[in-house]
């Protein structure tokens, strides 16, 4: 979708106006790749490229790294952020491209 603003306008396209990147698909029908180009976490691939703590390159489930709740106010978001900062880091599995075979762990936090 092309986006043209009025001359002198500072309007920025909304996230819903941005196309989802064309991610490749594995044999199980899951999209994979880097989520850096996604307009928002919901438009990222199913399997996000990540390095495990053992140095192996693989994939983590995007849903496992983007698991924050929906907030109803800025105050609620700030309270959640303060609470999670005090939590110990957690680990999630890193998979091969098949999304099944675990090859390591990825630390969050």
């Amino acid at each position: 979708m092309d986006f043209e603003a009025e001359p002198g306008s500072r309007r920025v396209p909304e996230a819903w106006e941005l196309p989802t990147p064309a991610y490749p698909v594995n044999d199980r029908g899951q999209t994979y790749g880097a989520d850096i180009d996604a307009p928002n976490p919901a438009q990222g691939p199913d399997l996000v490229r990540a390095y495990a703590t053992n140095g192996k390159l693989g994939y983590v489930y995007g849903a496992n790294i983007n698991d924050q709740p929906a907030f109803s106010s800025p105050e609620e978001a700030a309270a959640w952020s303060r609470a999670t900062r005090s939590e110990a880091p957690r680990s999630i599995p890193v998979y091969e491209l098949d999304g099944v075979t675990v090859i390591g762990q990825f630390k969050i936090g």
Side-chain angles (χ1 to χ4, degrees), residues 81-96:
S81 180
R82 283 190 300 275
T84 57
R85 254 187 268 146
S86 63
E87 293 178 4
R90 64 185 175 98
S91 291
I92 59 173
V94 176
Y95 300 91
E96 287 187 357

Side-chain angles (χ1 to χ4, degrees), residues 12-78:
V12 176
E14 298 293 327
W16 59 266
E17 292 181 277
L18 299 174
T20 298
Y23 295 109
V25 178
N26 68 10
D27 291 341
R28 297 182 66 219
Q30 298 165 312
T31 57
Y32 64 92
D35 64 352
I36 190 88
D37 295 327
N40 61 59
Q43 290 178 273
D46 299 318
L47 297 168
V48 178
R49 191 171 52 218
Y51 279 98
T53 56
N54 61 11
K56 292 183 179 180
L57 180 59
Y59 298 88
V60 296
Y61 279 93
N64 289 344
I65 58 174
N66 300 314
D67 63 353
Q68 72 183 32
F71 303 110
S72 59
S73 70
E75 295 79 18
E76 185 181 355

